Amino acid sequence: MPAWAELGLNEHHQNEVINYMRFARSKRGLRLKTVDSCFQDLKDSRLVEETFTIDEVSDMLDGLQTVVHSEVESELINTAYTNVLLLRQIFSQAEKWYLKLQTDISELENRNLLEQVAEFEKAEFVSSNKKPNPEQVKPKLTPLHEGGSDLLHKEIARLQEENEKLKTRLKTIEMQATSALDEKSKLEKALRDIQIVQDQKFDPTQDINELENTVAALKCQFEKTLNDSSANQKSLEDNLVTTKHELLKVQDQLTMAEKELEKKFQQTSAYRNMKEILTKKNEQIKELRKKLSKYEPDD
């Protein structure tokens, strides 16, 4: 397995990592030398006597602590800022390619990965005692405004143009399809009309003449019907008035006939005999009621 595969990166990116680690090792070496010099300065400036009191030792250690703390803090801050600048370069390149990179901060404390990086550093800088490759010492990121960026912009513009062309073509095809459907419907209707004409053996001239004659006949018939209707209406109105008069006349005659019939019936002997019989019967009923009332018990 090649060495550049140990971090899971391609050869180019692994070389970029090696260059950064070389830079970090250089900065770390300078800071360690600075810390060492702090202790050496203390030895040279303060440790000139054979015996020291507890307060003197404590004072020397406090001073050393302050100096070392300042150097370490400065190195940590500088390292953080340096990493931010490195990320800025990488993110700037990614943005030019319309990429959105993501980081997982939790992976920065992954002990397995940290040990893997340590082994990688040991293999690259310690065990092999490699000398820096001049071509790897001075690498440069791809210019932000040249090369790939211009190609990407051209490709995006080409794709946008192609997209617009496809939209226009799609719209044209849709219009053509709609027009074809309309034309198909018209042709189908025309075909049905032709079929009907063939079935009926249609003669345009004859049909027009027949239609005109039919219209004229219908017009005459309509006028005649209208005249007949008006005459019939008037006749019906006259007949209605006459009928009403005749009805009233008949009703009067019927009333008079009923009265006359009753008068004549009353003048007949049968009517008089019937009336006398009814009168006698009524008197007999009254006499019977009086006799019955005598035998009814008193309450």
Side-chain angles (χ1 to χ4, degrees), residues 207-259:
D207 187 74
I208 293 173
N209 294 332
E210 291 178 357
L211 182 60
E212 290 177 349
N213 294 333
T214 302
V215 170
L218 289 173
K219 185 177 180 180
C220 294
Q221 184 177 359
F222 176 77
E223 292 177 352
K224 181 179 180 182
T225 303
L226 183 60
N227 293 331
D228 293 340
S229 177
S230 299
N232 290 334
Q233 183 178 2
K234 186 177 180 181
S235 176
L236 287 173
E237 290 177 353
D238 294 338
N239 290 335
L240 181 60
V241 173
T242 303
T243 303
K244 286 183 177 180
H245 291 165
E246 291 179 353
L247 178 59
L248 292 174
K249 184 178 180 180
V250 170
Q251 288 178 348
D252 292 338
Q253 292 176 355
L254 180 59
T255 303
M256 291 177 62
E258 289 177 349
K259 291 180 178 181

Side-chain angles (χ1 to χ4, degrees), residues 236-293:
L236 287 173
E237 290 177 353
D238 294 338
N239 290 335
L240 181 60
V241 173
T242 303
T243 303
K244 286 183 177 180
H245 291 165
E246 291 179 353
L247 178 59
L248 292 174
K249 184 178 180 180
V250 170
Q251 288 178 348
D252 292 338
Q253 292 176 355
L254 180 59
T255 303
M256 291 177 62
E258 289 177 349
K259 291 180 178 181
E260 185 66 22
L261 180 61
E262 184 180 359
K263 182 179 179 181
K264 289 182 178 180
F265 179 74
Q266 291 176 358
Q267 293 176 357
T268 60
S269 58
Y271 176 79
R272 287 194 299 271
N273 293 333
M274 186 179 294
K275 190 174 182 181
E276 289 176 358
I277 293 171
L278 288 174
T279 302
K280 290 179 179 181
K281 292 293 183 181
N282 288 332
E283 290 177 356
Q284 290 176 358
I285 291 170
K286 288 178 181 180
E287 289 295 329
L288 291 172
R289 283 179 178 175
K290 288 179 181 181
K291 291 179 180 180
L292 291 172
S293 62

Side-chain angles (χ1 to χ4, degrees), residues 176-194:
Q176 291 176 351
T178 303
S179 177
L181 290 175
D182 294 340
E183 187 67 21
K184 180 182 177 181
S185 299
K186 292 179 180 178
L187 291 175
E188 289 177 349
K189 184 177 182 300
L191 181 61
R192 289 195 298 270
D193 294 340
I194 292 173

Side-chain angles (χ1 to χ4, degrees), residues 99-113:
L99 299 177
K100 293 183 179 180
L101 304 183
Q102 294 180 342
T103 59
D104 187 356
I105 303 299
S106 64
E107 290 295 322
L108 300 180
E109 297 181 352
N110 189 319
R111 297 305 306 174
N112 293 330
L113 293 179

